[in-house]
Amino acid sequence: MLHEISYVLPDQEVLFQNISIYLNRGGKAGLIGNNGIGKSTLMKIMAGQVSPASGTVSTGTKPYYIPQALGQFDHLTVTEALGVSEPLNALHRILAGEVTEENLEALNDEWDLEEKCREALEHWGIRTVGLDREMSTLSGGEKARVFLAGIRIHQPDLVLMDEPTNHLDTLSRSRLYDFMKDSPATMLVISHDRTLLDYMHSILELTPWGITAYGGNYSFYKDQKKLLSESAEAGMRSKEKELKKAKEKERQATERQLKMDARGKKKQEKAGVARIMMNTLRNSAEKSTSRLKDVHEDKVAAISEELRELKTWVPDIDRMKFGFEDSVLHKGKVLFSAEALNWKYDGQVLWKESLDFQIESGDRIAVKGRNGSGKSTLMKIISGGLTPESGKVYRAEGRRVYVDQDYSLLDPDKTVYEQVQAFNTLAVPVHEVKMNLHRLLFPKEDWDKPCAALSGGERVRLMLCCITIGGTSPDMIILDEPTNNLDIPSLEILTAAVKAYKGTLLLISHDQAFADEVNVTREINLDNFI
């Protein structure tokens, strides 16, 4: 499908080169890799929307492509976005009596097209969305489901999807998983949704060194990467010992040579060797010392390079420490309680049945519900960002951290170092602040980088650095769709950190794999109250 593809950015930087992808008929492949590595560009090349600098594209059929950014279709109606407006308009003209050759050709015998469109929208839970509706009036989840409905309408042989689950609620994700399982179409999917990736037949990992294919689903890929990582770690330990020995030998050899040179010079002086001969012998000794030094330096450099190569195979997650300590509150202490709690929008109550519940120290709670059920509103009430319009609430004293999907607790105008210091309310000494930055893989050269320039993974690590800066954990961490827009390495870092946290956790996430991995033990389902 893609053979020896290369792409060059406008600033002449090579994004990737000599990339080849071949998909078996009916095969389903997941394309993964760090954000910014070029996954979306690669898919756009396959979709025919971007031209490569070199290489060939041969899909054999017109792909059905669902991009990640759906706002670009806001100026279109639903039928225009789906590419069915022309035949539908022809159908309406024919039904109105304009039975022309032009209209019949445009319709192309799709007499049931309108019914097919409505059935597809209903299948994806958006039957109330009219075909003439403007895309700009739809939510992100509704837009995503419109394009998923298009697969059912067009029945393409090749489907390309870029982060299709980003805006989908739990029910819509479940429908997508069923579709992936049953569809005969050939598919290439960019996703960080590990449940979705487990329906893939193969995983393609794009890295700065090229693309590597793993012949199994995401769980198989993860097992293979673990084996590689363990092998690399063993190699690193061996190379670190070898490097230490090489440096010690270099030091010893240099000291021996200097002593020998010094003894030789004294003998020559006692023997009354002529000055011109002394200079010749000294130059010869210096050259000998230099050659010896070069030999040892070359060996040390070679071992260091091998060590750097091995480190690239060890995930960031295995090289960092999160700094979470147990919460100081004893288990079972009431941190929040609500009695007859409700909220109003435009004079209408959000929940038909008011909420009564309490949160105790050590709870790990998932707040669930379809889009629009009030999950984020409830989280903001719990965190103290909103005051309920009816009912009673109790909040215990303590430190709460609210993290939304945009990590907006980070100030884009601050540098990395300034951002961490802004959270340093306990006046932790500067050397400890810098140690904390190093623990989360921020070397000195990154400290002056503005937060606005950080990648998704860097934002996750900086957020973790900020909330652990004082060496004590928050009493409560509230996560509102934290996994959206993260690549898989960043997602795994966040997962490991949240698992290590022993305090009270509140979570909104449609990513069931994430909820399971961070050990959620209780649910508040708002669908039961609307």
Side-chain angles (χ1 to χ4, degrees):
M1 290 205 174
L2 298 183
H3 181 68
E4 298 291 323
I5 292 293
S6 298
Y7 186 79
V8 180
L9 296 168
D11 63 1
Q12 301 308 304
E13 181 185 351
V14 177
L15 183 60
F16 48 73
Q17 58 185 349
N18 302 326
I19 298 295
S20 297
I21 294 178
Y22 304 101
L23 300 176
N24 294 327
R25 187 177 182 83
K28 298 172 178 63
L31 179 59
I32 65 173
N34 290 353
N35 287 344
I37 201 71
K39 303 185 298 295
S40 293
T41 301
L42 199 59
M43 183 169 280
K44 286 176 183 176
I45 289 172
M46 187 177 284
Q49 296 202 350
V50 169
S51 298
S54 62
T56 56
V57 182
S58 55
T59 57
T61 182
K62 184 180 180 181
Y64 183 86
Y65 170 54
I66 303 178
Q68 183 176 357
L70 301 177
Q72 60 188 293
F73 303 101
D74 280 355
H75 64 291
L76 303 176
T77 64
V78 168
T79 55
E80 288 169 341
L82 289 172
V84 295
S85 60
E86 188 177 344
L88 276 179
N89 289 336
L91 174 62
H92 293 155
R93 288 194 295 269
I94 291 169
L95 294 175
E98 296 181 43
V99 188
T100 64
E101 186 175 338
E102 183 181 0
N103 285 336
L104 289 170
E105 186 177 340
L107 181 60
N108 194 29
D109 281 338
E110 293 188 82
W111 296 97
D112 63 343
L113 180 59
E114 187 163 6
E115 181 183 344
K116 190 188 295 185
C117 290
R118 296 191 188 284
E119 185 275 332
L121 294 175
E122 183 171 359
H123 173 80
W124 285 99
I126 46 174
R127 61 185 178 83
T128 57
V129 172
L131 295 175
D132 292 328
R133 182 97 168 260
E134 292 285 337
M135 291 288 287
S136 60
T137 66
L138 304 181
S139 68
E142 287 170 331
K143 290 174 187 175
R145 284 181 282 169
V146 163
F147 282 96
L148 289 169
I151 303 175
R152 199 174 179 91
I153 294 166
H154 293 285
Q155 297 291 310
D157 293 325
L158 174 61
V159 178
L160 308 175
M161 293 189 278
D162 192 346
E163 298 288 4
T165 61
N166 264 7
H167 300 287
L168 298 183
D169 58 20
T170 303
L171 179 59
S172 298
R173 287 189 183 213
S174 179
R175 285 187 178 128
L176 179 59
Y177 301 152
D178 289 341
F179 166 73
M180 295 298 300
K181 183 173 59 178
D182 300 332
S183 173
T186 305
M187 296 188 198
L188 180 66
V189 182
I190 297 172
S191 182
H192 63 268
D193 183 329
R194 292 162 295 180
T195 303
L196 179 64
L197 291 172
D198 262 343
Y199 287 97
M200 301 294 115
H201 302 150
S202 62
I203 298 295
L204 308 176
E205 183 179 28
L206 184 61
T207 71
W209 302 278
I211 198 160
T212 305
Y214 296 82
N217 63 8
Y218 180 74
S219 294
F220 174 82
Y221 157 82
K222 196 171 180 181
D223 289 341
Q224 294 300 303
K225 293 290 283 188
K226 184 179 180 182
L227 291 174
L228 284 171
S229 176
E230 289 172 351
S231 175
E233 284 179 350
M236 276 174 56
R237 288 191 292 271
S238 174
K239 284 297 172 189
E240 283 168 349
K241 289 179 183 176
E242 190 178 342
L243 182 62
K244 187 176 180 180
K245 286 181 181 178
K247 286 182 175 179
E248 180 61 21
K249 283 185 178 180
E250 179 186 24
R251 184 187 64 78
Q252 292 173 353
T254 301
E255 286 179 356
R256 279 197 306 270
Q257 187 65 44
L258 290 172
K259 287 177 181 177
M260 288 171 60
D261 291 347
R263 282 198 300 268
K265 184 179 178 182
K266 285 181 181 179
K267 285 181 181 179
Q268 291 156 12
E269 288 173 346
K270 285 180 180 179
V273 177
R275 182 178 295 277
I276 188 167
M277 182 59 71
M278 288 271 288
N279 288 337
T280 301
L281 292 171
R282 186 181 69 245
N283 290 340
S284 177
E286 287 174 353
K287 287 179 181 177
S288 176
T289 302
S290 178
R291 281 195 299 271
L292 182 65
K293 185 179 180 183
D294 288 344
V295 168
H296 282 285
E297 283 184 349
D298 288 346
K299 185 173 182 180
V300 168
I303 297 171
S304 297
E305 181 58 36
E306 290 174 13
L307 185 58
R308 277 192 294 272
E309 177 71 20
L310 285 167
K311 282 182 177 179
T312 64
W313 290 98
V314 178
D316 287 345
I317 192 172
D318 293 336
R319 295 188 283 123
M320 66 175 63
K321 298 177 182 177
F322 298 113
F324 279 124
E325 305 293 340
D326 288 353
S327 174
V328 296
L329 295 176
H330 64 79
K331 300 292 182 183
K333 177 176 178 177
V334 176
L335 300 184
F336 180 91
S337 64
E339 184 181 335
L341 172 67
N342 220 315
W343 183 262
K344 288 185 179 179
Y345 279 114
D346 299 325
Q348 298 292 318
V349 292
L350 179 55
W351 302 295
K352 290 182 180 177
E353 185 181 338
S354 295
L355 309 182
D356 294 278
F357 66 94
Q358 69 180 29
I359 300 169
E360 297 180 355
S361 178
D363 281 347
R364 298 179 81 84
I365 302 172
V367 178
K368 294 199 165 186
R370 56 183 177 267
N371 292 341
S373 61
K375 300 185 296 294
S376 294
T377 299
L378 180 58
M379 290 295 209
K380 288 172 183 175
I381 291 173
I382 293 170
S383 68
L386 289 177
T387 302
E389 297 185 2
S390 62
K392 296 179 181 178
V393 297
Y394 163 76
R395 295 186 192 90
E397 289 295 323
R399 183 176 168 224
R400 298 174 181 81
V401 175
Y402 181 90
V403 181
D404 61 20
Q405 60 184 293
D406 297 318
Y407 297 95
S408 54
L409 57 78
L410 303 178
D411 185 341
D413 296 326
K414 283 186 167 63
T415 65
V416 167
Y417 183 76
E418 289 169 344
Q419 179 64 64
V420 175
Q421 283 289 28
F423 275 74
N424 187 13
T425 55
L426 299 177
V428 171
V430 170
H431 73 276
E432 289 188 26
V433 173
K434 293 177 178 178
M435 282 175 57
N436 218 40
L437 283 164
H438 276 293
R439 280 189 310 138
L440 285 151
L441 307 184
F442 284 104
K444 187 175 181 179
E445 52 267 29
D446 285 348
W447 296 350
D448 291 329
K449 186 186 290 187
C451 292
L454 299 181
S455 68
E458 288 171 328
R459 285 185 294 148
V460 170
R461 287 189 279 115
L462 185 57
M463 180 270 295
L464 292 171
C465 191
C466 287
I467 64 179
T468 60
I469 190 62
T472 57
S473 300
D475 302 307
M476 183 186 294
I477 294 180
I478 301 172
L479 301 176
D480 191 345
E481 294 290 3
T483 63
N484 280 7
N485 308 313
L486 292 184
D487 54 28
I488 286 178
S490 305
L491 177 55
E492 291 184 340
I493 288 170
L494 180 65
T495 302
V498 177
K499 282 177 72 174
Y501 172 64
K502 304 302 181 185
T504 306
L505 174 71
L506 268 73
L507 171 69
I508 296 175
S509 180
H510 296 302
D511 186 339
Q512 189 57 48
F514 178 72
D516 291 341
E517 288 192 37
V518 300
N519 302 319
V520 164
T521 57
R522 179 181 155 202
E523 291 182 0
I524 297 175
N525 193 335
L526 295 180
D527 285 344
N528 298 329
F529 300 92
I530 60 174

